[in-house]
Amino acid sequence: MQNSSESEDPKSESGRRKFLKTGLALTGTALTGSVRAAAPPWMTRPGAPLSNYGQPSPHERAVIRWVAANADAPGNGISWTPLERLEGIVTPSGLHFERHHNGVPQIDPAVHRLAVHGLVGQASSFGIDDLLRYPMTSRLCFIECGGNSNAGWHREPIQAPAGNIHGLASCSEWTGVPLATVLEECGVQPNAKWLIAEGADAAAMNVSIPLDKALDDALLALYQNGERLRPENGYPLRLVLPGWEGVTNVKWLHRLQLADQPAMARNETAKYTELLPSGQARQFSFVMEAKSVITHPFAGQTLPGPGLHQISGLAWSGRGTIRRVEVSTDGGQTWRDATLDSPILPKCFTRFRLPWRWDGSPAVLKSRATDETGYVQPERQTLIAERGRHGYFHYNAIVSSAVAADGSVSHVYA
Amino acid sequence: MSMRDPILAVFLALASTPALAAPEGPRLGQALEPAAISALDITVFPDGTGLPPGQGTAVEGKAVYDARCAACHGPDGSGGSAEELAGGRNPLTSAEPDKTIGTYWPYASTVFDFIRRSMPLDAPRSLGNDEVYAVTAYLLHANGIIGERDRLDATTLPKIRMPNAAGFVWAYPERQSP
C-alpha cells in the first residue's frame, strides 16, 4: 500500500507549482491569445495524482452528518444523514446515520468472534474469517432509528433541514451471511422462540428478536455498499433486520442466545417502547411503517423564483415495497401521483419525483406514501389522535412544508 | 432456560428438522464449551435465569450509588444530566408523564442486567456482582418498591413485582402481552 495521496503532500504540491511556473515562463509568448485566457485553471495544468482512497470534493465539505450528543457522554448520541443534500436511494457509508449508546469500539477482526448458544443443538463460535467463507447474499434496505422524526411530536414545528429531522434513516447495500445458515448449522431447538443479540461495544447493547424474523431475512452483514462495514456501522459484524427498527440491527455483533422468552432488556422496555394515551405502552414495535419525506425543496432553502421546479424525496416501508407516493402542493386539497425511480425494492428507500410549476404564490407541499399492504402514511393529527404525544418513537406522519411568496421554505404543521 | 443437559440438547437438535430455506454453509463453527459460554453470557431474564451469585441491600447500595452513579443521575436518582431513575410523580396518563424505574420499567431483572452490562458509562463492567445487586436494591428502594434492608439475590430479585409490570402491549407478533 502506498501512503496517502501525494496531492496532500505540500512538498509535492509546491514542487509541481514550481515546475508549472517554469514551464509557463519558457513558453509564455506562445500561450497568449483568447483560447488560453478563457480556459479555467483546471484545464491549463495537470490535475492531482491518483489516490488510494477517494474523498469528496472540498467544495462539498458542507455535506456532513449533524452530530448531537451530551458533552458529558459524547459517545452516547446520534448523527443525522443530510438527506436533503443527497440523491438517489443509496446513502454513502460515511454519511449513514449513527446512534451509539457508548461510543464506537475499534475492534480487531482477528480476535472478534460470534458466539451462538442457548437453545441450540451445538453451541458454536465463528471467527470473521470463517464467516467470510460462508455463502453470502446482498440486499438494498433502509435502516431507520425508532426515534427518527420524533421532533414531529412537538407542539410547534422545528425549523431544520429534512435530514436534521428525518435523517436517522439511511439506505445501503448490505452483504453478508444469511443468519438462517448459521442457525441451521447450530441446530435450533423446538422450544426456541427468541434470539437475544448482543454487541461488543461498551454498552453491550442487547435486544430480543423473534426467531421467525431471524430465520426469514436476517443478515449477518460484513459489507456495506461494497466495502467492509465502517466502524460506526458495526465493523466487523452487524445484524441487519430489513424493515425493522434500527436498534434491533445490533452493531459489533458478538453473541446470539436462543431462548424461549425475551430478555426484556433496557432498550426493549425502558426505551424504544411507545407510551400511549391510555398509560399502556407498545412494546416490540419492530416494524417501521410506511413513510415519505420531501427532500427537495427543503426547509431553510429559498427557491430562486417562480417557474419549473422538481419536487423529490424518499419513501420507504418496513412491511415491503412502496406502491405509490402522492404529492400535494396545496396543503392536501389535491394530490398527484409522483414518479417512482427504479429500482423499487422491498424495505428499501424509493426515490419519488414530480415536476412542479410554481406560480410564485404561497404553497404547502406534502407527500403521502402507500405500501404494498395498502397501508397509507397518516396525517399528523391522525397519528397524534391514535398515539398521543409521549410515544417518542415511530413517528411516521405526513410532513408539510410551506413555500412563501419570497421562495423561502419552512417546516409547518398543516 | 439454558440447556444444561448436553445429551438432551443433542437429542432435541436431532429431533427437530428445521425447514430452513438457508443455503448450506461450510460448517466452520467451533464448539463452545460451557465454561466459555458462562464467561460470555451476561443475559438476565425476568424469571431470574442468568442471575449470578451475590447479594446486596439498599443500605449497602447507597455508598456505591453515591460514588459511581450520583454524578450523572443526581443525588437520589433524579436531577442529574443522565436520565431520571427515581422520583417520578406524574402518572403515565398525565400531560408530563415520568418514565422512571418505579413508574415505567416492567421488570426488576432489567435494572440488574443493564447496570451490570452498561454502567457506569465511563467504566462499564467495573462493578462486582454484589455491588450490582446493592445498587439495584438502592434504586428499587428509591422508587418505593422494596425496603432499605431487603436483601436482593438470585432468589429474591425475580420475585419482585414492579408497579408497571402490566403496562405493556406487544405490537409484534400481533398479540397481547402475557
Side-chain angles (χ1 to χ4, degrees):
Chain A
M1 284 285 279
Q2 291 182 10
N3 288 328
S4 61
S5 161
E6 285 178 10
S7 67
E8 291 171 15
D9 177 354
K11 276 188 205 160
S12 165
E13 185 64 21
S14 68
R16 191 149 48 82
R17 267 196 227 106
K18 196 171 161 189
F19 168 77
L20 287 169
K21 271 186 196 165
T22 312
L24 217 61
L26 287 173
T27 57
T29 50
L31 287 174
T32 53
S34 60
V35 172
R36 165 91 191 147
W42 42 86
M43 294 184 75
T44 62
R45 57 172 181 148
L50 308 175
S51 58
N52 291 120
Y53 203 110
Q55 297 299 314
S57 162
H59 299 286
E60 299 297 315
R61 64 167 63 93
V63 184
I64 55 170
R65 292 189 283 226
W66 280 89
V67 175
N70 179 346
D72 293 336
N76 185 2
I78 54 175
S79 71
W80 287 271
T81 294
L83 298 175
E84 72 285 355
R85 302 282 201 151
L86 303 174
E87 256 298 346
I89 59 171
V90 174
T91 308
S93 297
L95 294 176
H96 192 287
F97 86 86
E98 301 167 279
R99 168 73 178 110
H100 311 311
H101 294 80
N102 200 359
V104 178
Q106 293 297 327
I107 294 177
D108 179 355
V111 300
H112 187 83
R113 297 190 70 83
L114 173 67
V116 183
H117 68 100
L119 298 176
V120 293
Q122 175 61 63
S124 306
S125 157
F126 302 83
I128 296 300
D129 282 346
D130 298 332
L131 293 174
L132 287 167
R133 205 178 122 187
Y134 275 66
M136 290 196 203
T137 185
S138 292
R139 73 173 295 166
L140 277 154
C141 63
F142 75 84
I143 294 180
E144 181 180 18
C145 176
N148 194 29
S149 314
N150 64 22
W153 299 114
H154 295 178
R155 290 187 184 277
E156 296 299 327
I158 67 164
Q159 297 307 325
N164 287 31
I165 303 176
H166 311 289
L168 297 182
S170 309
C171 185
S172 293
E173 183 197 38
W174 302 97
T175 305
V177 181
L179 178 53
T181 299
V182 167
L183 292 181
E184 185 179 45
E185 174 175 334
C186 297
V188 177
Q189 294 183 10
N191 52 337
K193 295 286 180 282
W194 293 82
L195 186 73
I196 322 294
E198 183 180 275
D201 59 326
M205 243 288 302
N206 63 331
V207 294
S208 307
I209 295 150
L211 192 61
D212 57 354
K213 176 67 173 179
L215 294 174
D216 177 19
D217 60 358
L219 206 57
L220 297 169
L222 295 151
Y223 292 84
Q224 179 185 7
N225 297 328
E227 63 180 4
R228 295 288 284 278
L229 304 173
R230 300 282 174 101
E232 68 267 33
N233 279 303
Y235 183 86
L237 186 68
R238 101 175 279 176
L239 187 59
V240 170
L241 300 180
W244 280 26
E245 189 168 40
V247 69
T248 63
N249 294 249
V250 174
K251 298 188 283 193
W252 316 294
L253 183 71
H254 84 140
R255 190 164 72 86
L256 293 171
Q257 178 178 13
L258 284 91
D260 60 2
Q261 59 178 318
M264 299 296 179
R266 181 256 199 180
N267 284 323
E268 62 204 31
T269 53
K271 305 289 172 185
Y272 302 96
T273 49
E274 297 99 57
L275 181 59
L276 299 168
S278 65
Q280 293 245 302
R282 298 171 80 230
Q283 187 182 15
F284 301 129
S285 50
F286 299 118
V287 178
M288 301 309 290
E289 303 282 11
K291 184 165 175 175
S292 69
V293 59
I294 293 171
T295 57
H296 313 282
F298 61 88
Q301 189 182 19
T302 299
L303 298 182
L308 190 61
H309 294 271
Q310 182 179 237
I311 295 172
S312 173
L314 294 164
W316 62 94
S317 168
R319 292 203 190 274
T321 307
I322 289 294
R323 194 173 67 194
R324 181 184 197 191
V325 180
E326 300 158 281
V327 170
S328 175
T329 56
D330 56 14
Q333 295 174 56
T334 61
W335 297 86
R336 280 189 290 163
D337 277 309
T339 304
L340 305 183
D341 276 4
S342 289
I344 305 167
L345 299 169
K347 306 173 186 178
C348 183
F349 274 3
T350 298
R351 172 67 61 177
F352 65 89
R353 302 178 188 282
L354 188 74
W356 174 48
R357 194 170 295 282
W358 180 45
D359 63 8
S361 56
V364 172
L365 311 181
K366 294 182 174 215
S367 65
R368 179 168 71 189
T370 304
D371 70 18
E372 63 177 276
T373 70
Y375 177 92
V376 181
Q377 184 182 5
E379 287 283 359
R380 182 170 180 274
Q381 57 267 36
T382 309
L383 185 71
I384 285 178
E386 182 186 317
R387 299 272 179 82
R389 294 189 170 278
H390 301 291
Y392 191 84
F393 300 99
H394 289 263
Y395 185 93
N396 71 324
I398 289 170
V399 179
S400 306
S401 13
V403 181
D406 66 358
S408 62
V409 184
S410 59
H411 181 204
V412 294
Y413 291 155
Chain B
M1 159 59 41
S2 57
M3 191 54 61
R4 306 280 184 214
D5 182 343
I7 294 170
L8 179 60
V10 169
F11 170 75
L12 286 171
L14 291 173
S16 70
T17 50
L20 305 180
E24 184 186 356
R27 302 194 172 267
L28 302 175
Q30 290 179 15
L32 263 182
E33 301 307 320
I37 295 169
S38 55
L40 280 170
D41 183 1
I42 54 171
T43 309
V44 176
F45 291 87
D47 66 4
T49 303
L51 279 169
Q55 55 167 6
T57 64
V59 171
E60 293 156 358
K62 183 176 186 339
V64 182
Y65 182 88
D66 288 347
R68 307 298 300 275
C69 319
C72 295
H73 288 283
D76 297 304
S78 64
S81 63
E83 68 181 88
E84 195 177 30
L85 301 174
R89 283 185 295 275
N90 299 332
L92 297 177
T93 49
S94 66
E96 298 296 332
D98 285 318
K99 292 166 73 176
T100 63
I101 291 171
T103 60
Y104 198 66
W105 294 41
Y107 299 103
S109 59
T110 309
V111 184
F112 183 97
D113 180 76
F114 186 67
I115 294 168
R116 181 166 68 155
R117 70 176 54 244
S118 303
M119 290 287 124
L121 204 63
D122 61 350
R125 311 291 284 275
S126 63
L127 299 177
N129 287 334
D130 286 346
E131 290 175 299
V132 180
Y133 275 114
V135 175
T136 302
Y138 174 78
L139 290 172
L140 294 175
H141 172 63
N143 279 285
I145 298 166
I146 63 171
E148 67 177 350
R149 300 195 183 278
D150 290 350
R151 189 157 298 278
L152 280 193
D153 58 27
T155 305
T156 57
L157 188 147
K159 290 180 180 151
I160 294 167
R161 170 89 179 168
M162 296 289 276
N164 197 39
F168 291 84
V169 181
W170 289 12
Y172 183 98
E174 279 83 358
R175 62 182 168 88
Q176 302 292 299
S177 57

